[in-house]
Amino acid sequence: MKAEIITIGDEILLGQIVDTNSAWIAQELFAQQIQIQQITSITDQESHILKALADAGSRADIIICTGGLGPTKDDVTKFTAAKFFNTSLIHNPEVLSHVQQIFRQFGRTMPEINKGQAEVLANADVLFNDWGTAPGMWVEDKGKVYVFLPGVPFEMKNLMTFRVLPKLKDYKTEEKVVNKYILTVGIGESHLAEHIADIEDQFPSHIHLAYLPKIGLVRLRLTAVGNDLNSLEFEAEQWKEKLVSRIGGAVVATEDVSFEEVIVKSFSDSQLTLSTAESCTGGNIARLITEIPGSSKMFQGGIVAYVNEVKEHILGVEKETLIQHGAVSEETVVQMAKGVQQRLNTDYAIATSGIAGPDGGTDEKPVGTVWVAIAGKNDVKTKLFHFHHDRLINIERTTAQALLMLWNLFQQETKN
């Protein structure tokens, strides 16, 4: 069973919003063994929508469209869909009553324009939207399923969860897919590929390995495709174990999780705590850690010490250190790490200080110069990095390297 996702909206193509809907839908569909064939983002233009629907219908069994169901003139999805299916829009009193009820719940008067949301495709099953005013629609046409959903993420997710996915359970697929994941850190994609090339060469034709690199890490996705889910699960697990055995210490997880999740779980399981003192990363490390549910078990807090006065008066960096060595120095980040470790009473601490750019560099310390310190239970590790002129990439690289250094010191101290 193949599916396609069509996201409709100029705001996506203009970069004003990020299409998170497609990633979420793809994950939910895969859980029901429905594979995504293609994801397409298009403008709110009739010709583009008509072509996208036709193209998707030629390739996929299930087509899910998000966006363009609102009450304003730029929302043309259902009008265009009516033309595509050679049908009409009909007034649905139940939908109108539902929309009116939502406005009453919030004590607001319903604008006249919202009455148009009660117009639905004549050939559609209405998917009532308990979380917004735009109903979803389910259309079966020429052996294909077309689902139209609002683009607002929380409305889309609820409609998918409570209206669409239960209906899709009746659609069985012969082809099964099993994915296995291996998360590696501290080894580049090319070196990793060389290291496991002979194993990859032994894969049968229905086994495929994908390399998914990010700054500081590489995620491997092992995919097995066939008809027997149990045998695929067993076979994929065997190949995964071979890869893990070969890669060794660079493997930090054998499931689909982030590096931050690994760190949070490992620290929590070990009953260890962490704090951060960030200058050039501006709180980015703390943000990534605290995005993980359960991080409060191990993360005590962070201090963004962007100016020297904060480094000195809050973290306890000595004034002489700042005068003699500067804010971007090994001496300063060591005192930052020790300072936040002591003040927040944690087992480990991360400190960063650097010149993220695009300006502020000198001949001695050009843009991209970064110092990172990790204070552990028994030791303090430091490292100097020379990145480039892109500010955001410098922040990302510093963050990735700091987390890797933290992990390495944690591994060293917990094994001893």
Side-chain angles (χ1 to χ4, degrees):
M1 186 72 67
K2 304 292 186 184
E4 288 205 19
I5 300 171
I6 301 172
T7 60
I8 302 169
D10 295 341
E11 64 275 10
I12 295 172
L13 296 174
L14 291 172
Q16 294 172 327
I17 66 168
V18 176
D19 174 26
T20 58
N21 285 348
S22 294
W24 187 88
I25 293 171
Q27 290 175 344
E28 295 301 310
L29 291 180
F30 182 76
Q32 292 194 187
Q33 287 294 313
I34 299 173
Q35 299 178 60
I36 296 297
Q37 188 83 356
Q38 185 166 314
I39 298 173
T40 304
S41 293
I42 58 174
T43 66
D44 294 286
Q45 291 186 28
E46 180 182 283
S47 60
H48 291 176
I49 297 172
L50 289 171
K51 185 175 188 308
L53 288 171
D55 290 347
S58 70
R59 292 184 295 252
D61 307 293
I62 300 166
I63 298 93
I64 297 180
C65 303
T66 66
L69 297 182
T72 56
K73 290 182 179 180
D74 61 328
D75 292 312
V76 300
T77 297
K78 62 184 177 183
F79 302 99
T80 307
K83 181 177 290 189
F84 177 78
F85 294 119
N86 194 28
T87 188
S88 61
L89 294 174
I90 60 173
H91 178 77
N92 188 307
E94 291 181 87
V95 173
L96 179 60
S97 175
H98 175 75
V99 174
Q100 290 171 332
Q101 177 62 27
I102 288 177
F103 276 92
R104 281 196 294 270
Q105 284 177 355
F106 290 98
R108 294 161 57 193
T109 302
M110 188 184 81
E112 192 70 20
I113 193 173
N114 283 91
K115 289 183 178 179
Q117 293 184 297
E119 304 295 317
V120 297
L121 293 166
N123 63 337
D125 292 336
V126 175
L127 305 173
F128 280 92
N129 183 355
D130 295 323
W131 307 271
T133 58
M137 291 174 288
W138 173 290
V139 176
E140 297 185 19
D141 184 78
K142 298 176 183 177
K144 305 298 175 77
V145 172
Y146 296 81
V147 180
F148 298 89
L149 300 173
V152 179
F154 79 90
E155 293 184 31
M156 179 280 298
K157 288 180 180 179
N158 280 294
L159 277 167
M160 277 292 296
T161 301
F162 297 104
R163 304 281 189 261
V164 179
L165 293 175
K167 289 170 73 72
L168 288 177
K169 286 182 179 177
D170 295 331
Y171 290 78
K172 305 298 181 183
T173 177
E174 291 297 322
E175 188 177 73
K176 308 296 183 183
V177 180
V178 169
N179 284 333
K180 298 289 181 178
Y181 294 89
I182 302 170
L183 181 63
T184 69
V185 298
I187 181 171
E189 181 183 11
S190 299
H191 287 95
L192 180 59
E194 285 184 353
H195 194 48
I196 61 175
D198 60 318
I199 297 177
E200 193 173 358
D201 289 341
Q202 297 171 38
F203 287 167
S205 59
H206 64 282
I207 302 283
H208 173 72
L209 188 66
Y211 293 78
L212 310 171
K214 284 179 64 178
I215 293 175
L217 61 85
V218 179
R219 188 186 311 278
L220 297 177
R221 185 186 65 232
L222 183 74
T223 301
V225 181
N227 295 326
D228 187 327
L229 190 59
N230 290 331
S231 63
L232 286 175
E233 182 73 32
F234 177 80
E235 187 179 13
E237 186 66 26
Q238 295 293 105
W239 284 110
K240 185 187 81 172
E241 289 177 4
K242 287 184 180 181
L243 291 169
V244 169
S245 178
R246 172 66 64 82
I247 299 168
V251 174
V252 297
T254 55
E255 52 187 327
D256 189 15
V257 295
S258 68
F259 190 26
E260 295 79 36
E261 288 177 277
V262 173
I263 290 171
V264 168
K265 185 177 187 306
S266 299
F267 270 61
S268 299
D269 290 348
S270 301
Q271 297 184 320
L272 296 172
T273 54
L274 172 70
S275 58
T276 57
E278 301 182 62
S279 184
C280 63
T281 47
N284 193 52
I285 298 171
R287 176 186 66 83
L288 290 176
I289 293 293
T290 55
E291 281 181 353
I292 308 304
S295 57
S296 59
K297 294 178 183 177
M298 51 77 69
F299 188 70
Q300 296 293 87
I303 295 171
V304 178
Y306 216 60
V307 297
N308 285 353
E309 287 78 10
V310 176
K311 294 180 177 71
E312 181 182 350
H313 299 301
I314 303 298
L315 293 175
V317 177
E318 295 175 2
K319 189 170 186 177
E320 281 302 307
T321 299
L322 293 167
I323 293 172
Q324 291 184 19
H325 303 284
V328 182
S329 65
E330 181 177 26
E331 292 81 2
T332 294
V333 289
V334 167
Q335 291 183 19
M336 287 172 65
K338 288 183 176 180
V340 75
Q341 184 183 37
Q342 292 167 2
R343 281 156 177 75
L344 298 187
N345 190 29
T346 59
D347 299 296
Y348 287 81
I350 299 173
T352 65
S353 188
I355 306 165
D359 49 29
T362 65
D363 291 340
E364 182 184 356
K365 297 177 182 178
V367 169
T369 302
V370 174
W371 274 100
V372 176
I374 311 295
K377 298 177 72 174
N378 307 310
D379 200 1
V380 178
K381 299 290 186 182
T382 62
K383 195 166 185 179
L384 171 65
F385 298 95
H386 294 288
F387 299 130
H388 300 292
H389 289 271
D390 188 291
R391 181 180 184 82
L392 294 180
I393 292 178
N394 288 343
I395 291 171
E396 281 191 53
R397 289 189 181 278
T398 303
T399 298
Q401 291 296 333
L403 292 174
L404 178 58
M405 288 174 62
L406 172 69
W407 178 256
N408 288 338
L409 183 57
F410 164 75
Q411 291 286 92
Q412 174 190 315
E413 293 192 339
T414 52
K415 286 180 180 178
N416 291 341

